[in-house]
Amino acid sequence: MRLILLGPPGAGKGTQAQRLVERHGIPQLSTGDMLRKAVAEGSDVGKRAKAVMDAGQLVSDDIVNQIVSERIDDPDCAKGFILDGYPRTVPQAEALTRMLAEKGLRLDAVIELKVDEKALVNRMEKRVAETRAAGGEVRADDNPESFRKRLDEYRQKTAPLSDYYKGTGELVTIDGMADMDTVTAEIENVVGAAALK
Ligand code: AMP
């Protein structure tokens, strides 16, 4: 099962991806997590990505395409994977299409979580408050200014992916404002239907 979860920051992609991991035993490939790990490790990629990420901007397509291409080759991806936060631009989507074709793989579905932008800012603030209350660490880009920048980046560069995947016939849109369990159930319906194809 190879899935893409599309949706703006704060739409719940990470939570839904985790549920898919538990249910289907396939890994979540979050480019954000991979990049944050590279930053924490101080690798070359991490050093190049840190300032861009902290400002809420997008890391270059070449860097993320390379990271994803290598990760897909890992043995734990043999049964499938969930892409969370990638692709983020049309050139990344085109690179992914080529990459999968070269590896002899295809996507089962692209699931877009549609959400109301105003509600997202509230969600982000709630997530930060909850994380702080639980004594957890808050991400450097989880502040109103960076968050707004991430939303702008999404609108300009990632939202056009809906049309890209409409064009390939792989797009399914789900109401991401519904409660989390309803969203999970709808995703499971899509996954079930894709498995029958
Ligand atoms: P995320 O955890 O998906 O919200 O990603 C956090 C940050 O990592 C983003 O704001 C970008 O700076 C960077 N990032 C993650 N995925 C990508 C991607 N596919 N392309 C470019 N930058 C990315």
Side-chain angles (χ1 to χ4, degrees):
M1 178 70 50
R2 290 175 213 92
L3 299 174
I4 295 179
L5 287 183
L6 266 187
K13 298 188 300 291
T15 305
Q16 296 301 336
Q18 266 313 308
R19 292 182 172 191
L20 283 159
V21 167
E22 281 157 27
R23 230 181 136 93
H24 299 278
I26 51 176
Q28 168 194 15
L29 309 191
S30 155
T31 40
D33 285 350
M34 293 182 218
L35 289 166
R36 278 185 287 278
K37 186 162 171 269
V39 170
E41 288 168 353
S43 69
D44 279 351
V45 164
K47 282 182 196 143
R48 281 156 70 195
K50 186 176 183 331
V52 178
M53 290 174 73
D54 286 353
Q57 291 165 342
L58 291 185
V59 174
S60 81
D61 291 340
D62 288 349
I63 290 183
V64 286
N65 290 338
Q66 175 83 22
I67 293 181
V68 171
S69 177
E70 286 172 8
R71 182 68 183 87
I72 286 177
D73 291 337
D74 286 346
D76 65 328
C77 292
K79 280 202 309 183
F81 47 78
I82 305 139
L83 287 169
D84 161 16
Y86 177 90
R88 211 82 152 217
T89 63
V90 172
Q92 287 181 21
E94 289 166 349
L96 177 66
T97 301
R98 282 195 301 274
M99 191 191 297
L100 291 175
E102 278 163 18
K103 295 178 196 291
L105 304 173
R106 62 169 188 84
L107 291 172
D108 292 285
V110 178
I111 301 175
E112 177 187 42
L113 301 181
K114 265 254 187 278
V115 286
D116 167 39
E117 276 200 19
K118 277 193 205 122
L120 286 182
V121 178
N122 294 340
R123 270 196 196 177
M124 186 277 291
E125 284 170 351
K126 197 166 156 231
R127 182 170 76 186
V128 168
E130 282 170 0
T131 308
R132 287 220 171 95
E137 220 173 283
V138 173
R139 279 168 47 174
D141 58 357
D142 263 348
N143 61 73
E145 202 186 315
S146 289
F147 190 75
R148 224 156 273 135
K149 180 74 200 158
R150 284 156 67 201
L151 277 179
D152 284 347
E153 290 278 69
Y154 184 83
R155 218 178 296 117
Q156 285 173 29
K157 298 181 181 160
T158 313
L161 292 188
S162 302
D163 282 340
Y164 180 86
Y165 286 115
K166 251 181 227 160
T168 65
E170 290 159 316
L171 188 78
V172 181
T173 301
I174 286 179
D175 174 15
M177 297 311 291
D179 67 81
M180 265 192 237
D181 291 344
T182 306
V183 175
T184 304
E186 294 214 13
I187 290 177
E188 286 305 324
N189 284 343
V190 174
V191 167
L196 296 175
K197 271 191 200 161

